[in-house]
Amino acid sequence: MQRKFEELGVDIAGVPYGHFRGEAQWDEFGQVVVIEVETAEFDGHHLELDIAQLVKERIALRQKYGTGFLEAADRDVSDHARKWFLFQGLSDALQDSFAEDVRDYLEDIRSDASAARRRRGAA
């Protein structure tokens, strides 16, 4: 499922972080997996936040710096942390904003799967 969003307010750890616009994709489990953000903060360019890529980056940073990698003072760690927390904040806000759409999407997936099982059983 894909949805566009406009001026979505994001709080991170209870602190207002900004308003964003862009597009988000959900997976078949109803979780946000990709967020494309367009804001003035990124000079009109979009920033793609893909949870699969963020997890890979996180694993690589942990392998490079050890278990306390978030305390490392290197730029790659701080860049990753900003993207990670932005993804979390946006994902939470998107889940709240599109809760009904996500519910409908999941119901459609379940009903399609049920219909497919019934067709296979009838064959």
Side-chain angles (χ1 to χ4, degrees):
M1 179 179 95
Q2 273 184 284
R3 292 291 181 270
K4 290 184 185 256
F5 56 93
E6 295 282 334
E7 298 305 315
L8 183 67
V10 173
D11 291 350
I12 297 177
V15 176
Y17 198 71
H19 288 81
F20 299 87
R21 67 178 177 274
E23 192 168 327
Q25 296 176 23
W26 280 258
D27 66 8
E28 65 275 9
F29 302 106
Q31 298 299 309
V32 177
V33 291
V34 177
I35 304 169
E36 288 191 21
V37 180
E38 297 177 21
T39 70
E41 289 86 18
F42 299 112
D43 299 322
H45 297 98
H46 79 276
L47 170 67
E48 183 174 289
L49 302 169
D50 180 330
I51 190 61
Q53 184 60 37
L54 289 170
V55 168
K56 287 177 187 174
E57 285 176 16
R58 199 167 189 86
I59 290 168
L61 289 170
R62 184 169 182 193
Q63 289 172 341
K64 182 177 180 181
Y65 296 104
T67 56
F69 73 94
L70 287 175
E71 297 172 11
D74 285 358
R75 184 178 174 97
D76 56 347
V77 173
S78 62
D79 287 346
H80 170 77
R82 272 196 302 278
K83 289 188 283 184
W84 182 266
F85 292 122
L86 179 58
F87 181 91
Q88 287 180 323
L90 280 168
S91 179
D92 290 346
L94 288 161
Q95 292 292 91
D96 290 344
S97 295
F98 293 99
E100 190 172 317
D101 289 353
V102 171
R103 257 190 313 274
D104 292 345
Y105 172 66
L106 293 174
E107 286 175 14
D108 288 348
I109 288 174
R110 288 185 198 111
S111 67
D112 290 347
S114 293
R117 282 193 298 275
R118 284 193 300 272
R119 282 193 301 275
R120 282 193 302 264

